[in-house]
Amino acid sequence: MTSTSSRCRRAEGSRLECVDGQEPGASPVVQRLSLQIPLRQPRVRQFGSRKEVFPFPEVGQEELNEINQFVAPVEKFFTEEVDSQKIDREGKIPHETLEKLKSLGLFGMQVPEEYGGLGLSNTMYARLGEIISLDASIAVTLAAHQAIGLKGIILAGSEAQKAKYLPKLASGEHIAAFCLTEPASGSDAASIQTRATLSEDKKHYVLNGSKVWITNGARANIFTVFAKTSIVDSDNSVKDKITAFIVERDFGGVTNGKPEDKLGIRGSDTCEVHFENTRVPVENVLGEVGGGFKVAMNILNSGRFSMGSAVAGMLKKLIEMTTEYACMRKQFNRSLSEFGLIQEKFALMAQKAYVMESMAYLTAGMLDQPGFPDCSIEAAMVKVFSSEGAWQCVSEALQVFGGSGYVKDCPLERILRDARILLIFEGTNEILRMYIALTGLQHAGRILTARINELKRGNVTTIMETVGQRLRDSLGRTVDLGLTGKLGAVHPTVADSANKLEENVYYFGRTVETLLLRFGKTIVEEQMVLKRVANILINLYGMTAVLSRASRSIRVGLRNHDHEVLLANMFCTEAYYQNLFSLSQLDKYAPENLDEQIKKVSQQILEKRAYICAHPLDRTS
Amino acid sequence: MSWAQASLLARGLCRGWGGICGAALTGAPFSQVPPQAPRGLHCSTAAHHSDSSLVPRPPEPPRRPAKALALHEELFRQAPDGARDKASFVQAVQKFGQHNVHRRGHVDFIYLALRKMREYGVERDLAVYNLLLDVFPKEVFRPRSVLHSIFIHYPRQQECGIAVLEQMENHGVMPNKETEFLLLQIFGRKSYPMLKFLRMKLWFSRFKNINPFPVPRDLPQDPVELARLGLRHMEPDLSARVTIYQMPSSKDSTGAADPAEPHIVGIQSPDQQAALARHNPARPIFVEGPFSLWLRDKCVYYHILRADLLPPEEREVEEIPEEWNLYYPMQLDLDYGRSSWDDYEFDIDEVEEGPVFAICMAGAHDQATLAKWIQGLQETNPALAEIPVVFRLAGSTGELLAPSSGLEEPSPPPPEGQEDEEDSQQQRQQQGQS
């Protein structure tokens, strides 16, 4: 099919001139955003790596047609046949709905064509995600099946494993589940208790243990299970390491707990899965024995980017529903839509949808470039931004509905409950922020090592240079990193915003340098600092994506591109000031920096495990 | 002028007026002397002694006018012996008012009543204190000119008013508006009782919640409950669990359990449990005690299970496993750490101590009892079975110190190094209560 060919096509235009000495594996955008600036690299390099995000990735006409062909029937099915209200109420997806999903091929969207899947590129997968997300339970079921459940086989499986399992999984005959979380182990891999021991004849592993919160746990036939195995190290010491296994339900000893009664996504099937003396043949080890940690990490990292487009799809639908209500409902002889405070909410929703859409498709486009670039930071940023945007927007939409949104008859209530999970699963947003910040800083740290060492040693020239630099900055300095201008990558209409981005990037680079100088590797413990670094990075990535997309829209003359320009400028301005605030918070002596107080307050509360203030009505006499 | 000076001066004035009546050294009641001075009604001159008073007692001739004493004592004796409660106390005070329309001898009566309060269990009752203040005649002692307030007006009465307030202070009773009105009526705004009142208002409210580890005012009588309270008081970890390993076999009301089956109550937190499980069985652990813990006026004794600090060469360095966090790197691969100008730690020499694994309070402090505790601990700490336990107990032990046992009872065996502290504590204690 066309997906592979289109990937190659895109490659010609975009990536060829961009690689100039970048480390492979480093996330390109972060690298560009945060790190090159403090180093004051020659401009060439900035231009070079910029090519990945400017211009905004496009798909060819052929591929576009193909996508639209897919999308139409799926959209029809979701709007006409899926009754989300019923799924939520009854707590399960009806059998015929599942069958229809299978027949549409939605169970094998990213399975390569040779194994019977659709073999969609990441961009196309994201596009379909927009539609599928119209029902959260179905979206989660499908995501658990293919974004994590069978992803391990695609990423790390051997040819034989792929040939054996993927066809049935792609057709939906078998459903996959991803079994990592345990009662005592969330993101802490060391505390995994499930064990796999090699049998006497060395042909089987015997698997024992329990996994919790497994989506599709009761429905699945194929499980990707992570368990501890004893590995003899190179130095003859025995160590426990994690290994991934493909476990069929038919191997025996697989039982389920009762389904969890959840707040949202009630139609998805979540339960405990117990393995009791399950005999797994050695050929079902996924990847290497003892290499399960990497497998798990890769699967988790690869599954995230699609949340952006999914939420954007949901938000678009939400805007339709809410605008309708706002225009119909009258108060004081005016419709709600005439009130400024209501209008504001729509601007917010549109802006969020626009940004996360841009981020998601930019990331998908980068992922579709040849050479499997590692975009896990970008994917994590998309996930954090979109999940938080979703929660905020759904809440605002519900606010428009007022009391009528709070009752079960209104779908808003269900959407709100469903949206809450987005902040939690696939790595909670807190954890992903750590990931974003630390991975970025790790990279920055490597580049800045020499410079910081010189500063620490007290090299006079470097210090003078730095001081002089800061002095000049404080006197007011226009930052120009070459995004704008005659041959600039962004359109002049959004040049102001581009300048804001440049300024943010510049000062962020400086702040990162200071942070590394201050904390060094102990910055791992400074979670509040890291959170801000991550927030800034997310904003910067959002700004980049928005500018890139808006520039493209203007240049190719898409419909309503002036609206896009408005949204882009709005977001950039907001993000700019947010970033400035965060940057000043990162300054040690800034009055905005409340870290010490925050820590103290929480310490006192946690010590007593209660709110410790006296009641306002209390008296001492 | 400081308060002490004022009171001394007051006393001097009293004496000058001639009506002097000493209190016996034992603090027994005393009474009014027939007034010889023209204004004897208002300056009945007994300097009194109250344990709670901070006022130094001036040397007084040991005279004891029996009649007046009998009169006031009688008021308190009227109630049948069994009923010594608030109602009878109030009744006695009211009777004084009824019998004695002119409030003759009210100062003596108030001193007497103050001493009696404890017996009647009303020493913490604000209403009763207000009632006592109400015994003073109103308006009479108010200074009427600047000179009056410069030279203490009716010093003996003011002193008595202060004594009331002071007893309130010692029992932690916060005066209220009514107290203020009474004092205003009796002594006026520019008077020492009023000053005392204002100071109490100021400092009481500030000091009331100063203790971050408050102890309930009424301690439980049951030794098991008391032990539970004490253990909770010492253990900072809120998830620690109190276990009763043995209930006392006989529950005497006195709280003294049968020596054969004393109570054993222990506390252990999950962290301590984990630390004990990690403990190297080759190294012994120790049961040490008894150490004392004061809870208000009660002293309880506890034992700890502890180990010595590991020598530095045996300590395991906690290293971050390579494959630990599925989501983000737990350490950065950088070769520089925190810079010195971002280091706020003071240079403190910390004395490290060995870990404490559990605490217990038992009715008896002998090895047999504590061995039972260790046995009980083994149920939740299987590792304990393999670790040698050494008992390092300091002498034999006594029961809980009874609250108001006075001087005659010897203090329980103080463990080494704690004698002084404990003694002084006890002294303070006795000062505070008797």
Side-chain angles (χ1 to χ4, degrees):
Chain A
M1 259 160 94
T2 42
S3 61
T4 36
S5 58
S6 64
R7 245 184 240 152
C8 300
R9 223 177 307 124
R10 215 172 304 126
E12 294 163 25
S14 53
R15 176 89 182 203
L16 284 182
E17 67 259 79
C18 73
V19 190
D20 48 1
Q22 278 186 16
E23 282 177 54
S27 285
V29 170
V30 174
Q31 197 177 13
R32 185 183 47 74
L33 283 178
S34 60
L35 319 166
Q36 295 176 357
I37 291 37
L39 285 172
R40 287 159 208 77
Q41 290 279 328
R43 269 189 153 189
V44 190
R45 174 146 177 198
Q46 289 156 20
F47 267 105
S49 41
R50 212 184 55 208
K51 286 287 196 263
E52 281 166 2
V53 286
F54 291 103
F56 199 71
E58 287 189 334
V59 294
Q61 188 60 47
E62 256 174 70
E63 195 179 354
L64 189 64
N65 292 343
E66 194 196 326
I67 294 178
N68 289 338
Q69 269 176 23
F70 267 127
V71 167
V74 177
E75 190 157 18
K76 186 160 174 283
F77 170 68
F78 268 87
T79 45
E80 288 172 9
E81 291 181 42
V82 174
D83 184 352
S84 302
Q85 208 86 359
K86 192 174 158 219
I87 291 176
D88 181 65
R89 199 171 50 239
E90 293 179 357
K92 68 186 235 283
I93 304 169
H95 186 67
E96 50 272 26
T97 309
L98 277 178
E99 287 305 311
K100 191 72 199 287
L101 289 171
K102 287 174 191 172
S103 68
L104 284 168
L106 296 182
F107 275 78
M109 284 188 275
Q110 286 209 292
V111 176
E113 285 164 67
E114 63 258 42
Y115 300 114
L118 296 180
L120 298 184
S121 66
N122 289 304
T123 310
M124 288 172 77
Y125 179 62
R127 177 71 184 94
L128 271 180
E130 278 184 43
I131 317 291
I132 292 167
S133 66
L134 294 183
D135 184 277
S137 299
I138 293 178
V140 169
T141 305
L142 288 178
H145 169 72
Q146 54 195 333
I148 48 178
L150 59 76
K151 199 66 165 257
I153 304 179
I154 298 179
L155 289 178
S158 64
E159 271 311 309
Q161 286 167 343
K162 285 183 181 173
K164 185 175 174 195
Y165 290 110
L166 284 182
K168 283 188 175 172
L169 287 169
S171 68
E173 191 184 336
H174 283 171
I175 290 179
F178 181 76
C179 303
L180 176 64
T181 309
E182 292 190 9
S185 154
S187 40
D188 177 358
S191 57
I192 285 183
Q193 306 280 329
T194 304
R195 280 210 82 87
T197 35
L198 199 56
S199 64
E200 294 284 300
D201 54 3
K202 308 225 165 181
K203 283 188 180 159
H204 287 90
Y205 278 97
V206 180
L207 192 65
N208 276 300
S210 298
K211 300 283 184 179
V212 295
W213 303 328
I214 306 304
T215 311
N216 293 345
R219 212 179 267 144
N221 314 83
I222 311 289
F223 300 90
T224 309
V225 184
F226 295 85
K228 283 234 167 117
T229 44
S230 301
I231 308 283
V232 181
D233 239 11
S234 49
D235 53 343
N236 268 341
S237 60
V238 180
K239 260 192 182 167
D240 275 350
K241 283 203 152 188
I242 299 165
T243 307
F245 298 92
I246 307 172
V247 181
E248 296 176 33
R249 194 179 277 276
D250 301 338
F251 288 164
V254 183
T255 49
N256 300 117
K258 73 170 176 48
E260 306 282 353
D261 194 8
K262 304 186 292 293
L263 173 73
I265 52 166
R266 296 178 62 86
S268 72
D269 146 40
T270 311
C271 61
E272 291 176 21
V273 178
H274 307 285
F275 299 96
E276 200 184 337
N277 292 326
T278 306
R279 290 169 68 81
V280 186
V282 279
E283 56 267 25
N284 272 29
V285 170
L286 198 53
E288 286 171 31
V289 175
F293 188 84
K294 286 260 150 53
V295 176
M297 240 170 60
N298 287 340
I299 296 173
L300 290 169
N301 281 341
S302 71
R304 283 187 198 117
F305 77 96
S306 64
M307 193 185 283
S309 65
V311 171
M314 187 266 286
L315 282 186
K316 288 184 207 168
K317 187 84 184 165
L318 193 70
I319 290 174
E320 281 170 26
M321 277 162 39
T322 321
T323 43
E324 193 186 329
Y325 181 84
C327 295
M328 301 283 286
R329 167 99 173 163
K330 289 220 186 265
Q331 291 284 289
F332 312 114
N333 290 331
R334 291 155 83 187
S335 63
L336 282 191
S337 57
E338 289 173 53
F339 295 104
L341 287 182
I342 303 292
Q343 290 166 353
E344 187 188 55
K345 300 187 195 307
F346 291 102
L348 176 89
M349 285 192 266
Q351 183 201 319
K352 294 275 177 198
Y354 183 72
V355 179
M356 64 182 77
E357 207 176 46
S358 311
M359 286 168 84
Y361 282 99
L362 179 62
T363 315
M366 288 197 293
L367 279 168
D368 279 338
Q369 283 166 2
F372 298 107
D374 175 12
C375 290
S376 50
I377 302 190
E378 284 84 349
M381 294 198 271
V382 173
K383 193 265 171 183
V384 172
F385 186 88
S386 57
S387 57
E388 273 163 19
W391 178 243
Q392 198 183 352
C393 290
V394 176
S395 165
E396 290 289 357
L398 198 144
Q399 193 71 20
V400 174
F401 277 75
S404 52
Y406 198 66
V407 292
K408 285 246 175 193
D409 292 337
C410 178
L412 261 296
E413 168 265 351
R414 170 179 52 82
I415 297 175
L416 185 85
R417 283 188 284 114
D418 289 345
R420 193 60 184 81
I421 191 63
L422 298 174
L423 304 160
I424 299 169
F425 68 4
E426 301 223 24
T428 63
N429 284 5
E430 283 73 20
I431 271 188
L432 289 182
R433 282 208 163 87
M434 292 300 112
Y435 173 70
I436 294 165
L438 285 172
T439 320
L441 285 174
Q442 169 70 73
H443 197 80
R446 265 199 220 117
I447 296 176
L448 292 174
T449 300
R451 200 176 138 72
I452 286 178
N453 277 341
E454 267 177 42
L455 277 175
K456 288 205 161 183
R457 228 178 294 130
N459 185 322
V460 182
T461 333
T462 324
I463 292 178
M464 289 310 289
E465 202 177 279
T466 315
V467 170
Q469 191 75 40
R470 305 254 153 134
L471 212 60
R472 247 173 294 148
D473 289 345
S474 63
L475 292 175
R477 173 183 197 284
T478 48
V479 184
D480 183 11
L481 306 173
L483 272 181
T484 50
K486 219 174 183 184
L487 290 169
V490 300
H491 192 269
T493 329
V494 287
D496 268 354
S497 303
N499 283 333
K500 291 197 172 91
L501 170 64
E502 285 173 338
E503 195 188 318
N504 273 171
V505 167
Y506 176 77
Y507 286 105
F508 178 57
R510 237 184 53 179
T511 307
V512 165
E513 191 184 298
T514 318
L515 286 178
L516 284 170
L517 197 60
R518 265 176 72 189
F519 296 112
K521 58 184 168 193
T522 62
I523 201 168
V524 183
E525 298 300 320
E526 305 289 329
Q527 295 206 332
M528 279 186 269
V529 168
L530 291 175
K531 184 192 92 178
R532 295 195 188 109
V533 170
N535 281 347
I536 297 174
L537 272 171
I538 294 169
N539 272 337
L540 291 180
Y541 186 51
M543 287 162 100
T544 317
V546 162
L547 287 174
S548 165
R549 176 172 170 198
S551 299
R552 170 181 173 263
S553 298
I554 302 166
R555 282 184 177 139
V556 299
L558 288 184
R559 187 176 303 146
N560 291 336
H561 64 245
D562 51 339
H563 188 69
E564 286 188 35
V565 171
L566 277 175
L567 290 177
N569 282 334
M570 235 170 79
F571 174 73
C572 286
T573 312
E574 276 182 27
Y576 170 73
Y577 286 111
Q578 277 173 18
N579 284 345
L580 285 188
F581 186 65
S582 299
L583 283 173
S584 64
Q585 280 185 317
L586 284 174
D587 189 2
K588 186 176 172 186
Y589 298 110
E592 292 92 343
N593 184 350
L594 299 178
D595 290 1
E596 291 304 313
Q597 285 100 313
I598 293 171
K599 277 183 192 160
K600 221 176 199 172
V601 166
S602 52
Q603 248 168 27
Q604 287 171 352
I605 290 174
L606 291 170
E607 196 181 312
K608 292 281 188 292
R609 301 190 187 175
Y611 172 74
I612 57 172
C613 296
H615 193 276
L617 301 181
D618 276 357
R619 299 169 56 108
T620 47
S621 57
Chain B
M1 190 195 298
S2 81
W3 154 239
Q5 277 172 310
S7 60
L8 283 170
L9 179 57
R11 210 163 281 116
L13 281 172
C14 288
R15 253 174 261 138
W17 287 323
I20 298 169
C21 174
L25 280 171
T26 49
F30 41 81
S31 83
Q32 197 179 11
V33 162
Q36 295 178 0
R39 299 174 66 184
L41 172 67
H42 301 311
C43 64
S44 60
T45 50
H48 81 289
H49 166 70
S50 154
D51 281 323
S52 56
S53 169
L54 295 174
V55 185
R57 191 153 17 101
E60 300 288 353
R63 281 177 53 196
R64 186 181 285 218
K67 195 185 153 202
L69 165 79
L71 175 71
H72 295 329
E73 282 282 352
E74 199 53 38
L75 286 171
F76 286 102
R77 220 170 275 148
Q78 273 170 4
D81 287 22
R84 299 211 145 194
D85 56 359
K86 185 179 171 183
S88 54
F89 190 88
V90 170
Q91 213 180 8
V93 176
Q94 279 166 347
K95 271 218 182 95
F96 173 79
Q98 287 161 9
H99 280 302
N100 212 333
V101 187
H102 299 291
R103 307 276 162 100
R104 181 163 300 178
H106 64 271
V107 171
D108 295 333
F109 174 76
I110 289 171
Y111 280 130
L112 175 69
L114 283 178
R115 277 198 309 281
K116 291 275 178 195
M117 283 179 101
R118 224 174 205 294
E119 283 173 41
Y120 285 78
V122 290
E123 75 273 16
R124 285 185 187 136
D125 197 324
L126 174 62
V128 174
Y129 283 106
N130 284 341
L131 198 71
L132 269 187
L133 283 177
D134 204 17
V135 170
F136 281 109
K138 310 294 177 304
E139 303 292 335
V140 188
F141 310 132
R142 288 182 70 149
R144 261 156 256 269
S145 71
V146 187
L147 280 178
H148 275 162
S149 48
I150 291 177
F151 299 102
I152 306 158
H153 202 46
Y154 289 101
R156 192 161 172 261
Q157 279 72 12
Q158 289 207 26
E159 206 179 300
C160 178
I162 288 167
V164 175
L165 290 170
E166 197 160 289
Q167 184 156 337
M168 288 169 78
E169 181 182 307
N170 287 339
H171 289 112
V173 183
M174 180 77 174
N176 65 357
K177 273 265 179 280
E178 200 193 334
T179 323
E180 186 180 359
F181 284 136
L182 282 169
L183 288 173
L184 270 180
Q185 273 190 319
I186 301 163
F187 299 110
R189 192 165 289 286
K190 295 243 160 101
S191 64
Y192 286 97
M194 200 60 202
L195 187 64
K196 172 85 184 163
F197 167 83
L198 291 174
R199 286 176 177 164
M200 273 169 85
K201 269 287 201 202
L202 178 75
W203 292 113
F204 256 40
S205 48
R206 276 155 186 69
F207 287 147
K208 191 177 176 192
N209 294 311
I210 204 82
N211 185 357
F213 309 105
V215 182
R217 204 167 70 180
D218 299 308
L219 292 171
Q221 290 303 311
D222 180 19
V224 176
E225 284 308 305
L226 187 65
R228 188 194 290 272
L229 182 82
L231 290 170
R232 278 262 170 247
H233 202 65
M234 285 189 286
E235 175 62 55
D237 190 345
L238 291 181
S239 45
R241 271 191 33 217
V242 174
T243 317
I244 299 171
Y245 295 102
Q246 184 171 292
M247 285 296 273
S249 55
S250 64
K251 276 194 176 177
D252 293 335
S253 56
T254 53
D258 182 1
E261 292 254 305
H263 65 273
I264 307 174
V265 186
I267 193 166
Q268 195 181 32
S269 73
D271 285 349
Q272 289 173 324
Q273 220 163 334
L276 188 52
R278 276 198 309 271
H279 184 79
N280 177 10
R283 298 185 154 273
I285 54 178
F286 307 100
V287 174
E288 287 184 1
F291 304 110
S292 61
L293 170 75
W294 282 95
L295 296 167
R296 290 204 181 268
D297 52 359
K298 284 189 180 168
C299 181
V300 286
Y301 294 89
Y302 63 94
H303 296 262
I304 58 170
L305 182 66
R306 58 166 280 263
D308 279 335
L309 195 63
L310 278 179
E313 64 272 13
E314 276 188 41
R315 276 180 230 177
E316 286 172 29
V317 184
E318 231 180 68
E319 58 177 20
I320 299 178
E322 209 173 300
E323 299 184 343
W324 197 6
N325 192 322
L326 280 163
Y327 290 92
Y328 63 89
M330 299 288 273
Q331 53 187 347
L332 287 185
D333 177 23
L334 301 176
D335 54 0
Y336 43 88
R338 187 178 284 263
S339 94
S340 52
W341 53 269
D342 210 353
D343 194 359
Y344 282 114
E345 295 295 307
F346 285 106
D347 189 17
I348 302 171
D349 267 338
E350 283 190 16
V351 179
E352 280 189 277
E353 289 186 337
V356 173
F357 298 120
I359 315 177
C360 103
M361 283 189 187
H365 308 306
D366 52 282
Q367 186 165 341
T369 314
L370 294 169
K372 277 186 199 161
W373 170 46
I374 300 297
Q375 271 171 12
L377 269 179
Q378 275 183 22
E379 283 173 25
T380 43
N381 301 278
L384 201 52
E386 288 150 34
I387 307 173
V389 179
V390 179
F391 289 85
R392 294 207 288 214
L393 306 177
S396 73
T397 52
E399 292 305 315
L400 299 179
L401 189 66
S404 51
S405 51
L407 284 166
E408 64 276 15
E409 184 173 326
S411 69
E416 323 85 316
Q418 299 208 343
E419 265 170 323
D420 295 349
E421 193 184 296
E422 207 174 291
D423 280 351
S424 63
Q425 258 173 336
Q426 208 167 3
Q427 276 162 17
R428 241 177 288 143
Q429 201 58 41
Q430 282 155 2
Q431 270 176 11
Q433 57 197 350
S434 58

